[in-house]
Amino acid sequence: MIPILILLSALVVVGLACYIPWAIGRRRNPQSAVVNEPPEGCCGQHQICERDSLLSAVSATKGEIEYFADEELDRFAGRDAEGYNDEEIEEFRDVLLTLQPDEIAPWGRSIQLRGISLPTPVRDELLLLVADLRDHP
């Protein structure tokens, strides 16, 4: 019975030793206790906001279409995002991967202005790259 009490006492001491510094640090820096909230004006659905932000950036431009040596992609205008085969997806991916970092978001806007739906995997990669560039300019 005594070994069990010693074990329980040791667990309580270790638990307190771990909890007290955390509680003190939280009291000193209350911002660390705050859950990351979405930026003001964000709906909380970040991927959708990222998609919409590319579209809203289009409305900020004069509607001029800029090409990135990708005129051959115009043949995909009006096609459904799920209707691409692997070879066509790689064609989009090749263009995306050859862009300079400052050309990625403008390329996405250009694609949208041209009425081209990106293949879903390439669209997801584009959104990740744009978000990463916004976080780490």
Side-chain angles (χ1 to χ4, degrees):
M1 179 76 166
I2 292 180
I4 293 175
L5 289 176
I6 293 173
L7 181 61
L8 285 175
S9 299
L11 284 174
V12 169
V13 169
V14 169
L16 286 174
C18 292
Y19 175 76
I20 291 173
W22 174 80
I24 291 171
R26 187 173 178 192
R27 221 178 292 142
R28 285 186 188 155
N29 188 4
Q31 289 181 339
S32 67
V34 175
V35 177
N36 289 338
E37 295 182 22
E40 187 176 322
C42 182
C43 64
Q45 296 177 330
H46 301 298
Q47 289 185 341
I48 293 170
C49 288
E50 290 293 331
R51 288 186 188 119
D52 292 343
S53 70
L54 286 177
L55 289 173
S56 64
V58 169
S59 63
T61 66
K62 297 176 185 171
E64 298 172 6
I65 298 175
E66 183 178 358
Y67 283 87
F68 297 84
D70 63 346
E71 295 82 6
E72 70 277 1
L73 298 179
D74 283 343
R75 72 181 190 276
F76 298 118
R79 189 185 263 189
D80 183 49
E82 300 296 326
Y84 294 102
N85 62 38
D86 291 341
E87 189 174 298
E88 294 166 335
I89 291 171
E90 282 306 312
E91 192 173 341
F92 280 95
R93 188 173 282 128
D94 288 343
V95 173
L96 176 61
L97 295 177
T98 59
L99 296 171
Q100 297 295 318
D102 60 330
E103 295 175 331
I104 293 174
W107 180 72
R109 289 189 292 274
S110 171
I111 290 292
Q112 289 174 341
L113 283 172
R114 291 154 51 192
I116 301 170
S117 294
L118 287 172
T120 304
V122 176
R123 183 190 65 216
D124 294 343
E125 292 169 18
L126 172 71
L127 294 173
L128 286 172
L129 287 170
V130 169
D132 187 50
L133 289 171
R134 285 183 182 158
D135 293 340
H136 306 97

